[in-house]
Amino acid sequence: MSEKTAITPSTHTAPPAKFSHGVRKGNILQVAGQVGFLPAVEGQAPTPAGPTLREQTLQTFANVKAILEEGGASWDDVMMMRVYLTDTGHFAEMNEIYNQYFEEQGLKEAPAARTTVYVGLPAGLLIEIDALAVLG
């Protein structure tokens, strides 16, 4: 049986509780919910990429991608993504950003995805994304 390996890229702060940004076991990689925080700066609190959905979404994608790459995966290995928005009014804009981003990434096949509204994100954060990847 393969061991479970926690993944925290250097761009991410240490989690505030006993969890990992990502976990890989065998060919399965689960990326925990990521938000649009800029890369970590030692001694500073996490900072959102900006106040807009576009800024936060693009940074959230970058944060998910960093964990995928650290775990040996790419967007093409992602089987499922879950997107959590804090405002129902953001669905159309998020879909536009999502489609453009993955077109630019050259994604071969789109993963299954789900978007839901979740109001429990910390103040100022508009989006959270998690992903499940299967490698090989």
Side-chain angles (χ1 to χ4, degrees), residues 7 19 22-23 26 32 65-66 82-83 111 124 129:
I7 299 168
F19 66 85
V23 175
K65 185 177 182 181
R82 284 174 292 274
V83 178
I129 298 173

Side-chain angles (χ1 to χ4, degrees), residues 2-134:
S2 59
E3 290 191 31
K4 185 167 66 171
T5 304
I7 299 168
T8 299
S10 62
T11 54
H12 289 54
T13 59
K18 186 121 176 99
F19 66 85
S20 302
H21 287 291
V23 175
R24 180 169 175 182
K25 185 169 182 172
N27 68 337
I28 305 289
L29 172 59
Q30 176 66 57
V31 177
Q34 299 296 301
V35 295
F37 286 143
L38 292 169
V41 176
E42 191 172 332
Q44 290 184 7
T47 306
T52 69
L53 181 65
R54 175 171 289 282
E55 290 167 308
Q56 289 189 26
T57 301
L58 293 176
Q59 185 62 53
T60 301
F61 283 145
N63 293 342
V64 171
K65 185 177 182 181
I67 296 166
L68 290 170
E69 289 175 348
E70 186 85 10
S74 72
W75 285 118
D76 283 316
D77 296 309
V78 174
M79 300 296 293
M80 177 68 179
M81 282 201 311
R82 284 174 292 274
V83 178
Y84 304 92
L85 297 172
T86 58
D87 186 334
T88 57
H90 288 160
F91 273 93
E93 182 181 1
M94 193 285 300
N95 285 338
E96 179 184 311
I97 296 164
Y98 181 100
N99 288 338
Q100 180 182 3
Y101 177 84
F102 285 110
E103 183 177 316
E104 291 170 0
Q105 294 296 306
L107 189 65
K108 294 178 187 131
E109 294 292 333
R114 173 195 167 125
T115 302
T116 191
V117 174
Y118 173 70
V119 296
L121 292 178
L125 293 176
L126 305 173
I127 187 168
E128 180 176 339
I129 298 173
D130 67 47
L132 175 67
V134 178

